[in-house]
Amino acid sequence: MLLPLKNFKIILGLCVGICILFMYISQSMQEGKILTIKTPRWLSAYRDPEFNNSMEGKNKTFTSIVEVNDALRLETKVRVLCWIMTSPKTLYKKCKAVKETWGKRCNKVLFFSSQTDANFPAIGLNVSEGRQHLTEKTMMAFTYIYHNHLNDADWFMKADDDTYVIVENLRYFLSSKNSSLPVYYGHWFKPFLKQGYYSGGAGYVLSKEALRRFGKFSNKSCVKAGHYEDVDLGRCMDKLGVLTGSSHDDQGRSRFHCFDPKTMLFRGFPSWYLEYDKYGAKKNNMSDYAISFHYIAPANMYLLDYYVYHLRPYGLYKRIHEAAHGKL
């Protein structure tokens, strides 16, 4: 029995449509395979609309750039005091780079050494130099800040003189936190303490309440000297009821880093790190709003500063400039 001409045309049209759809899906899958092969695994985290050339992507980029004004707003709303642990030998090498790059973006920056240097300036602590004295240095520095600068900031960040911090991202992260609560944040390590502790090299930031408790009760609860600064400070915070917490972004990507960007990008981690990291390094794709990196040589401080604050992709700089000056 022959089908009516009308039904035959409908069936033929459906067949043609299915064939075209099949060809389209096959081509899309093939393109996806090629992209997966060519793209490094760590880069896959950055394949989102903000980085493509579609109109939708451009609109989303435009919207995010408008928010650049938030950095200026947060500078007064989220006050951060940064203090840098250094030594007389590295003050005019490493700390000079810190002072001329990221340090100037803190609301207040202090440099602590074993000797006073009024010209730099650096605050001298009554402590000997050497890794075995880092705990003593840290405890004395926080004590000094408690007595002299408690009301100058809402958050108090400790960093080494080879740590690079993107202060705007630090403020952005802290803007959703309460400095009146006993908390501190950093690159989370899990051994030795039930609640863990934070890497000294990546830097850690104490809330105002955490510093207040330290200033009032550390003499009774915390060691004045020890062998491992970050573990000793973590144990001190634990005894004072100061809590640790995650600093990962909403996609589970890390913000504080105890290694340099190259190590984090290519995941060349030593075995101890895989054991120490709170998440077993499984979630260490870096956040778009990364806060800190460690083991940064002075020359690379300036290099990072150029990449973060000066390098601009053509076609976006005008938008950023206009947004920053309220012309959008």
Side-chain angles (χ1 to χ4, degrees):
M1 180 179 177
L2 295 176
L3 291 172
L5 182 60
K6 183 179 179 180
N7 292 344
F8 178 79
K9 289 182 178 179
I10 293 174
I11 294 173
L12 181 62
L14 287 173
C15 292
V16 172
I18 291 171
C19 290
I20 293 173
L21 180 62
F22 179 78
M23 292 171 63
Y24 175 79
I25 293 173
S26 298
Q27 183 178 359
S28 298
M29 290 178 67
Q30 185 64 25
E31 289 175 352
K33 289 178 182 178
I34 293 173
L35 183 61
T36 301
I37 292 172
K38 290 186 177 180
T39 305
R41 190 164 80 87
W42 57 264
L43 192 58
S44 61
Y46 300 93
R47 285 166 50 197
D48 57 44
E50 188 172 330
F51 290 87
N52 66 34
N53 291 319
S54 66
M55 284 307 298
E56 180 185 3
K58 290 178 181 178
N59 289 335
K60 290 189 177 182
T61 303
F62 182 81
T63 301
S64 65
I65 290 174
V66 170
E67 295 171 359
V68 72
N69 284 325
D70 282 353
L72 302 177
R73 177 179 61 84
L74 292 178
E75 188 173 345
T76 56
K77 184 180 178 181
V78 184
R79 299 176 303 158
V80 178
L81 180 150
C82 307
W83 74 268
I84 318 302
M85 182 185 290
T86 188
S87 68
K89 290 183 178 180
T90 59
L91 183 64
Y92 283 91
K93 296 178 181 178
K94 294 181 178 181
C95 280
K96 180 176 182 292
V98 171
K99 188 177 181 181
E100 294 178 348
T101 57
W102 69 266
K104 62 186 179 184
R105 300 184 182 98
C106 302
N107 294 85
K108 192 172 192 66
V109 60
L110 301 173
F111 299 89
F112 287 94
S113 178
S114 57
Q115 297 177 14
T116 298
D117 188 316
N119 294 322
F120 190 79
I123 300 166
L125 302 171
N126 185 24
V127 58
S128 302
E129 286 296 341
R131 293 188 62 85
Q132 67 272 27
H133 299 291
L134 294 183
T135 296
E136 193 174 358
K137 242 183 182 180
T138 299
M139 299 301 181
M140 292 181 69
F142 272 124
T143 300
Y144 177 96
I145 293 169
Y146 168 75
H147 286 296
N148 296 279
H149 299 286
L150 178 64
N151 294 317
D152 291 342
D154 310 298
W155 298 90
F156 303 84
M157 181 164 188
K158 175 266 174 185
D160 289 348
D161 54 12
D162 60 348
T163 304
Y164 184 90
V165 179
I166 303 171
V167 181
E168 291 82 0
N169 288 351
L170 175 62
R171 288 196 184 100
Y172 171 57
F173 166 68
L174 295 173
S175 64
S176 63
K177 311 300 179 185
N178 188 347
S179 63
S180 297
L181 296 178
V183 292
Y184 83 126
Y185 299 97
H187 188 135
W188 207 349
F189 285 160
K190 64 183 179 182
F192 309 125
L193 301 171
K194 185 176 181 180
Q195 72 167 4
Y197 67 99
Y198 295 121
S199 160
Y204 43 78
V205 57
L206 277 63
S207 69
K208 189 170 186 176
E209 173 59 18
L211 180 62
R212 188 193 69 81
R213 292 191 181 195
F214 176 88
K216 279 183 148 314
F217 306 112
S218 63
N219 283 338
K220 296 180 180 179
S221 304
C222 305
V223 297
K224 291 183 174 63
H227 298 289
Y228 303 101
E229 161 246 329
D230 45 12
V231 178
D232 292 330
L233 192 280
R235 185 172 288 111
C236 174
M237 293 291 101
D238 190 21
K239 290 182 178 180
L240 296 174
V242 178
L243 303 177
T244 52
S246 174
S247 61
H248 284 69
D249 66 15
D250 56 5
Q251 296 182 44
R253 299 177 299 182
S254 58
R255 300 182 197 251
F256 293 85
H257 305 100
C258 62
F259 295 115
D260 62 284
K262 181 179 178 181
T263 301
M264 298 305 303
L265 283 173
F266 294 102
R267 303 175 66 79
F269 304 135
S271 57
W272 67 262
Y273 175 75
L274 302 178
E275 179 184 349
Y276 277 39
D277 187 69
K278 174 72 173 180
Y279 301 99
K282 293 178 181 178
K283 293 186 178 181
N284 273 80
N285 283 322
M286 289 186 295
S287 173
D288 293 346
Y289 294 97
I291 291 173
S292 68
F293 297 99
H294 190 211
Y295 299 124
I296 308 299
N300 289 336
M301 291 265 183
Y302 297 102
L303 188 63
L304 278 174
D305 225 53
Y306 170 73
Y307 286 154
V308 174
Y309 296 98
H310 298 283
L311 180 63
R312 295 287 182 265
Y314 177 75
L316 292 182
Y317 175 75
K318 184 177 180 181
R319 290 180 180 177
I320 294 172
H321 178 79
E322 290 178 348
H325 292 82
K327 295 181 180 179
L328 286 178

